[in-house]
mmCIF file of all heavy atoms in Angstrom:
data_model
loop_
_atom_site.group_PDB
_atom_site.id
_atom_site.type_symbol
_atom_site.label_atom_id
_atom_site.label_comp_id
_atom_site.label_asym_id
_atom_site.label_seq_id
_atom_site.Cartn_x
_atom_site.Cartn_y
_atom_site.Cartn_z
ATOM 1 N N ILE A 285 106.592 97.176 107.608
ATOM 2 C CA ILE A 285 105.163 97.449 107.765
ATOM 3 C C ILE A 285 104.747 96.878 109.116
ATOM 4 O O ILE A 285 104.937 95.693 109.383
ATOM 5 C CB ILE A 285 104.342 96.798 106.643
ATOM 6 C CG1 ILE A 285 104.805 97.329 105.280
ATOM 7 C CG2 ILE A 285 102.850 97.052 106.838
ATOM 8 C CD1 ILE A 285 104.246 96.553 104.106
ATOM 9 N N MET A 286 104.190 97.721 109.960
ATOM 10 C CA MET A 286 103.892 97.329 111.325
ATOM 11 C C MET A 286 102.403 97.097 111.540
ATOM 12 O O MET A 286 101.566 97.518 110.739
ATOM 13 C CB MET A 286 104.376 98.414 112.291
ATOM 14 C CG MET A 286 105.827 98.801 112.124
ATOM 15 S SD MET A 286 106.962 97.398 112.320
ATOM 16 C CE MET A 286 106.710 97.004 114.050
ATOM 17 N N CYS A 287 102.095 96.458 112.657
ATOM 18 C CA CYS A 287 100.732 96.415 113.169
ATOM 19 C C CYS A 287 100.808 96.910 114.613
ATOM 20 O O CYS A 287 101.183 96.154 115.516
ATOM 21 C CB CYS A 287 100.151 95.002 113.097
ATOM 22 S SG CYS A 287 98.446 94.909 113.691
ATOM 23 N N PHE A 288 100.483 98.175 114.791
ATOM 24 C CA PHE A 288 100.528 98.803 116.106
ATOM 25 C C PHE A 288 99.110 99.065 116.608
ATOM 26 O O PHE A 288 98.186 99.277 115.814
ATOM 27 C CB PHE A 288 101.243 100.156 116.047
ATOM 28 C CG PHE A 288 102.740 100.091 115.939
ATOM 29 C CD1 PHE A 288 103.411 100.898 115.024
ATOM 30 C CD2 PHE A 288 103.481 99.276 116.774
ATOM 31 C CE1 PHE A 288 104.798 100.876 114.938
ATOM 32 C CE2 PHE A 288 104.875 99.237 116.694
ATOM 33 C CZ PHE A 288 105.525 100.034 115.774
ATOM 34 N N THR A 289 98.944 99.101 117.907
ATOM 35 C CA THR A 289 97.754 99.682 118.506
ATOM 36 C C THR A 289 98.211 100.725 119.511
ATOM 37 O O THR A 289 99.341 100.660 120.025
ATOM 38 C CB THR A 289 96.879 98.613 119.178
ATOM 39 O OG1 THR A 289 95.609 99.199 119.522
ATOM 40 C CG2 THR A 289 97.536 98.033 120.428
ATOM 41 N N ILE A 290 97.378 101.719 119.778
ATOM 42 C CA ILE A 290 97.731 102.754 120.745
ATOM 43 C C ILE A 290 97.579 102.172 122.148
ATOM 44 O O ILE A 290 96.504 101.691 122.524
ATOM 45 C CB ILE A 290 96.852 104.000 120.579
ATOM 46 C CG1 ILE A 290 97.120 104.646 119.208
ATOM 47 C CG2 ILE A 290 97.108 105.017 121.695
ATOM 48 C CD1 ILE A 290 96.217 105.825 118.889
ATOM 49 N N THR A 291 98.654 102.190 122.907
ATOM 50 C CA THR A 291 98.629 101.647 124.266
ATOM 51 C C THR A 291 98.466 102.734 125.317
ATOM 52 O O THR A 291 97.928 102.481 126.392
ATOM 53 C CB THR A 291 99.926 100.864 124.549
ATOM 54 O OG1 THR A 291 101.057 101.717 124.302
ATOM 55 C CG2 THR A 291 100.018 99.641 123.649
ATOM 56 N N THR A 292 98.920 103.962 125.015
ATOM 57 C CA THR A 292 98.777 105.095 125.935
ATOM 58 C C THR A 292 98.514 106.350 125.127
ATOM 59 O O THR A 292 99.312 106.710 124.258
ATOM 60 C CB THR A 292 100.049 105.305 126.787
ATOM 61 O OG1 THR A 292 100.351 104.102 127.500
ATOM 62 C CG2 THR A 292 99.839 106.432 127.788
ATOM 63 N N GLY A 293 97.403 107.018 125.414
ATOM 64 C CA GLY A 293 97.126 108.270 124.732
ATOM 65 C C GLY A 293 98.034 109.377 125.231
ATOM 66 O O GLY A 293 98.332 109.462 126.433
ATOM 67 N N VAL A 294 98.500 110.212 124.316
ATOM 68 C CA VAL A 294 99.389 111.326 124.665
ATOM 69 C C VAL A 294 98.687 112.631 124.309
ATOM 70 O O VAL A 294 98.221 112.815 123.187
ATOM 71 C CB VAL A 294 100.732 111.224 123.908
ATOM 72 C CG1 VAL A 294 101.651 112.368 124.313
ATOM 73 C CG2 VAL A 294 101.391 109.880 124.171
ATOM 74 N N ALA A 295 98.615 113.539 125.265
ATOM 75 C CA ALA A 295 97.882 114.783 125.087
ATOM 76 C C ALA A 295 98.483 115.618 123.957
ATOM 77 O O ALA A 295 99.701 115.650 123.761
ATOM 78 C CB ALA A 295 97.875 115.574 126.387
ATOM 79 N N GLN A 296 97.599 116.323 123.246
ATOM 80 C CA GLN A 296 98.030 117.211 122.180
ATOM 81 C C GLN A 296 98.394 118.586 122.735
ATOM 82 O O GLN A 296 97.979 118.955 123.843
ATOM 83 C CB GLN A 296 96.919 117.337 121.133
ATOM 84 C CG GLN A 296 96.475 116.006 120.547
ATOM 85 C CD GLN A 296 97.626 115.241 119.926
ATOM 86 O OE1 GLN A 296 98.088 115.552 118.848
ATOM 87 N NE2 GLN A 296 98.121 114.234 120.633
ATOM 88 N N THR A 297 99.159 119.321 121.982
ATOM 89 C CA THR A 297 99.577 120.647 122.413
ATOM 90 C C THR A 297 98.605 121.700 121.906
ATOM 91 O O THR A 297 98.359 121.797 120.698
ATOM 92 C CB THR A 297 100.991 120.964 121.876
ATOM 93 O OG1 THR A 297 101.899 119.993 122.388
ATOM 94 C CG2 THR A 297 101.431 122.356 122.306
ATOM 95 N N SER A 298 98.012 122.446 122.826
ATOM 96 C CA SER A 298 97.145 123.587 122.488
ATOM 97 C C SER A 298 95.993 123.193 121.580
ATOM 98 O O SER A 298 95.681 123.885 120.612
ATOM 99 C CB SER A 298 97.968 124.709 121.824
ATOM 100 O OG SER A 298 99.014 125.113 122.678
ATOM 101 N N ALA A 299 95.340 122.074 121.889
ATOM 102 C CA ALA A 299 94.139 121.734 121.136
ATOM 103 C C ALA A 299 93.070 122.773 121.407
ATOM 104 O O ALA A 299 92.957 123.309 122.516
ATOM 105 C CB ALA A 299 93.652 120.352 121.543
ATOM 106 N N SER A 300 92.274 123.102 120.374
ATOM 107 C CA SER A 300 91.278 124.167 120.531
ATOM 108 C C SER A 300 89.943 123.720 119.948
ATOM 109 O O SER A 300 89.837 122.694 119.278
ATOM 110 C CB SER A 300 91.761 125.432 119.806
ATOM 111 O OG SER A 300 91.930 125.180 118.426
ATOM 112 N N ASN A 301 88.917 124.512 120.225
ATOM 113 C CA ASN A 301 87.580 124.295 119.688
ATOM 114 C C ASN A 301 87.020 122.941 120.102
ATOM 115 O O ASN A 301 86.441 122.221 119.302
ATOM 116 C CB ASN A 301 87.599 124.416 118.145
ATOM 117 C CG ASN A 301 86.195 124.497 117.571
ATOM 118 O OD1 ASN A 301 85.329 125.169 118.128
ATOM 119 N ND2 ASN A 301 85.960 123.807 116.464
ATOM 120 N N LEU A 302 87.198 122.593 121.389
ATOM 121 C CA LEU A 302 86.726 121.298 121.859
ATOM 122 C C LEU A 302 85.314 121.342 122.408
ATOM 123 O O LEU A 302 84.750 120.302 122.745
ATOM 124 C CB LEU A 302 87.686 120.754 122.924
ATOM 125 C CG LEU A 302 89.100 120.452 122.408
ATOM 126 C CD1 LEU A 302 89.954 119.879 123.527
ATOM 127 C CD2 LEU A 302 89.061 119.489 121.233
ATOM 128 N N GLY A 303 84.714 122.513 122.513
ATOM 129 C CA GLY A 303 83.324 122.618 122.920
ATOM 130 C C GLY A 303 83.097 122.089 124.320
ATOM 131 O O GLY A 303 83.985 122.011 125.160
ATOM 132 N N SER A 304 81.850 121.693 124.597
ATOM 133 C CA SER A 304 81.482 121.191 125.915
ATOM 134 C C SER A 304 81.683 119.692 126.060
ATOM 135 O O SER A 304 81.498 119.133 127.138
ATOM 136 C CB SER A 304 80.012 121.538 126.201
ATOM 137 O OG SER A 304 79.175 120.952 125.201
ATOM 138 N N GLY A 305 82.047 119.025 124.988
ATOM 139 C CA GLY A 305 82.301 117.594 125.008
ATOM 140 C C GLY A 305 82.913 117.172 123.686
ATOM 141 O O GLY A 305 82.694 117.815 122.645
ATOM 142 N N ASN A 306 83.694 116.126 123.701
ATOM 143 C CA ASN A 306 84.378 115.744 122.469
ATOM 144 C C ASN A 306 84.779 114.275 122.501
ATOM 145 O O ASN A 306 84.839 113.649 123.559
ATOM 146 C CB ASN A 306 85.614 116.623 122.251
ATOM 147 C CG ASN A 306 86.467 116.711 123.497
ATOM 148 O OD1 ASN A 306 87.203 115.783 123.815
ATOM 149 N ND2 ASN A 306 86.354 117.827 124.234
ATOM 150 N N ILE A 307 85.026 113.747 121.312
ATOM 151 C CA ILE A 307 85.541 112.392 121.128
ATOM 152 C C ILE A 307 86.758 112.502 120.224
ATOM 153 O O ILE A 307 86.738 113.208 119.211
ATOM 154 C CB ILE A 307 84.495 111.464 120.491
ATOM 155 C CG1 ILE A 307 83.287 111.309 121.430
ATOM 156 C CG2 ILE A 307 85.089 110.090 120.189
ATOM 157 C CD1 ILE A 307 82.161 110.513 120.828
ATOM 158 N N GLY A 308 87.838 111.807 120.604
ATOM 159 C CA GLY A 308 89.068 111.885 119.826
ATOM 160 C C GLY A 308 89.255 110.697 118.909
ATOM 161 O O GLY A 308 88.815 109.579 119.207
ATOM 162 N N PHE A 309 89.909 110.935 117.760
ATOM 163 C CA PHE A 309 90.188 109.901 116.773
ATOM 164 C C PHE A 309 91.656 109.969 116.365
ATOM 165 O O PHE A 309 92.246 111.048 116.297
ATOM 166 C CB PHE A 309 89.313 110.078 115.528
ATOM 167 C CG PHE A 309 87.843 110.081 115.810
ATOM 168 C CD1 PHE A 309 87.171 111.273 116.052
ATOM 169 C CD2 PHE A 309 87.131 108.894 115.863
ATOM 170 C CE1 PHE A 309 85.813 111.287 116.331
ATOM 171 C CE2 PHE A 309 85.775 108.895 116.137
ATOM 172 C CZ PHE A 309 85.115 110.091 116.367
ATOM 173 N N ALA A 310 92.247 108.812 116.083
ATOM 174 C CA ALA A 310 93.630 108.772 115.621
ATOM 175 C C ALA A 310 93.789 107.627 114.630
ATOM 176 O O ALA A 310 93.176 106.561 114.785
ATOM 177 C CB ALA A 310 94.585 108.583 116.795
ATOM 178 N N LEU A 311 94.615 107.854 113.622
ATOM 179 C CA LEU A 311 94.838 106.817 112.610
ATOM 180 C C LEU A 311 96.209 107.002 111.978
ATOM 181 O O LEU A 311 96.531 108.088 111.494
ATOM 182 C CB LEU A 311 93.764 106.876 111.520
ATOM 183 C CG LEU A 311 93.834 105.780 110.444
ATOM 184 C CD1 LEU A 311 93.565 104.417 111.068
ATOM 185 C CD2 LEU A 311 92.832 106.044 109.324
ATOM 186 N N GLY A 312 97.011 105.954 111.991
ATOM 187 C CA GLY A 312 98.262 105.966 111.257
ATOM 188 C C GLY A 312 98.000 105.604 109.805
ATOM 189 O O GLY A 312 97.118 104.797 109.502
ATOM 190 N N GLY A 313 98.753 106.188 108.893
ATOM 191 C CA GLY A 313 98.543 105.921 107.476
ATOM 192 C C GLY A 313 99.188 104.613 107.037
ATOM 193 O O GLY A 313 99.735 103.846 107.836
ATOM 194 N N LEU A 314 99.117 104.339 105.735
ATOM 195 C CA LEU A 314 99.824 103.202 105.172
ATOM 196 C C LEU A 314 101.324 103.468 105.238
ATOM 197 O O LEU A 314 101.771 104.615 105.201
ATOM 198 C CB LEU A 314 99.397 102.961 103.728
ATOM 199 C CG LEU A 314 97.928 102.597 103.479
ATOM 200 C CD1 LEU A 314 97.683 102.419 101.988
ATOM 201 C CD2 LEU A 314 97.528 101.349 104.235
ATOM 202 N N THR A 315 102.103 102.403 105.323
ATOM 203 C CA THR A 315 103.557 102.551 105.370
ATOM 204 C C THR A 315 104.050 103.292 104.137
ATOM 205 O O THR A 315 103.664 102.963 103.009
ATOM 206 C CB THR A 315 104.223 101.168 105.466
ATOM 207 O OG1 THR A 315 103.745 100.525 106.655
ATOM 208 C CG2 THR A 315 105.736 101.290 105.534
ATOM 209 N N GLY A 316 104.893 104.288 104.349
ATOM 210 C CA GLY A 316 105.336 105.143 103.261
ATOM 211 C C GLY A 316 106.484 104.555 102.459
ATOM 212 O O GLY A 316 106.968 103.449 102.710
ATOM 213 N N GLY A 317 106.931 105.334 101.496
ATOM 214 C CA GLY A 317 108.011 104.911 100.600
ATOM 215 C C GLY A 317 107.467 104.487 99.258
ATOM 216 O O GLY A 317 106.358 103.961 99.155
ATOM 217 N N THR A 318 108.249 104.721 98.214
ATOM 218 C CA THR A 318 107.853 104.323 96.860
ATOM 219 C C THR A 318 108.393 102.925 96.587
ATOM 220 O O THR A 318 109.608 102.730 96.504
ATOM 221 C CB THR A 318 108.408 105.304 95.818
ATOM 222 O OG1 THR A 318 107.924 106.624 96.106
ATOM 223 C CG2 THR A 318 107.980 104.902 94.422
ATOM 224 N N PRO A 319 107.513 101.933 96.458
ATOM 225 C CA PRO A 319 107.995 100.565 96.252
ATOM 226 C C PRO A 319 108.598 100.376 94.864
ATOM 227 O O PRO A 319 108.180 101.025 93.897
ATOM 228 C CB PRO A 319 106.742 99.708 96.434
ATOM 229 C CG PRO A 319 105.611 100.624 96.096
ATOM 230 C CD PRO A 319 106.047 101.998 96.524
ATOM 231 N N THR A 320 109.586 99.512 94.777
ATOM 232 C CA THR A 320 110.209 99.228 93.488
ATOM 233 C C THR A 320 109.318 98.381 92.602
ATOM 234 O O THR A 320 109.449 98.404 91.384
ATOM 235 C CB THR A 320 111.545 98.498 93.687
ATOM 236 O OG1 THR A 320 111.301 97.289 94.439
ATOM 237 C CG2 THR A 320 112.536 99.372 94.432
ATOM 238 N N LEU A 321 108.404 97.631 93.223
ATOM 239 C CA LEU A 321 107.487 96.760 92.486
ATOM 240 C C LEU A 321 106.071 96.936 93.023
ATOM 241 O O LEU A 321 105.873 97.404 94.146
ATOM 242 C CB LEU A 321 107.899 95.293 92.624
ATOM 243 C CG LEU A 321 109.229 94.868 92.002
ATOM 244 C CD1 LEU A 321 109.587 93.455 92.452
ATOM 245 C CD2 LEU A 321 109.157 94.936 90.481
ATOM 246 N N THR A 322 105.102 96.525 92.225
ATOM 247 C CA THR A 322 103.713 96.529 92.666
ATOM 248 C C THR A 322 103.386 95.173 93.271
ATOM 249 O O THR A 322 103.205 94.184 92.554
ATOM 250 C CB THR A 322 102.775 96.821 91.473
ATOM 251 O OG1 THR A 322 103.098 98.096 90.919
ATOM 252 C CG2 THR A 322 101.323 96.812 91.911
ATOM 253 N N ASN A 323 103.337 95.124 94.605
ATOM 254 C CA ASN A 323 103.000 93.882 95.308
ATOM 255 C C ASN A 323 102.228 94.182 96.594
ATOM 256 O O ASN A 323 102.638 93.813 97.692
ATOM 257 C CB ASN A 323 104.277 93.090 95.661
ATOM 258 C CG ASN A 323 104.691 92.133 94.561
ATOM 259 O OD1 ASN A 323 103.844 91.512 93.915
ATOM 260 N ND2 ASN A 323 105.987 92.002 94.334
#
Side-chain angles (χ1 to χ4, degrees):
I285 301 169
M286 307 302 294
C287 181
F288 284 134
T289 191
I290 295 175
T291 55
T292 303
V294 181
Q296 303 303 284
T297 300
S298 303
S300 61
N301 192 41
L302 296 182
S304 59
N306 49 77
I307 296 175
F309 303 92
L311 184 65
L314 297 179
T315 301
T318 302
T320 57
L321 294 170
T322 300
N323 271 322

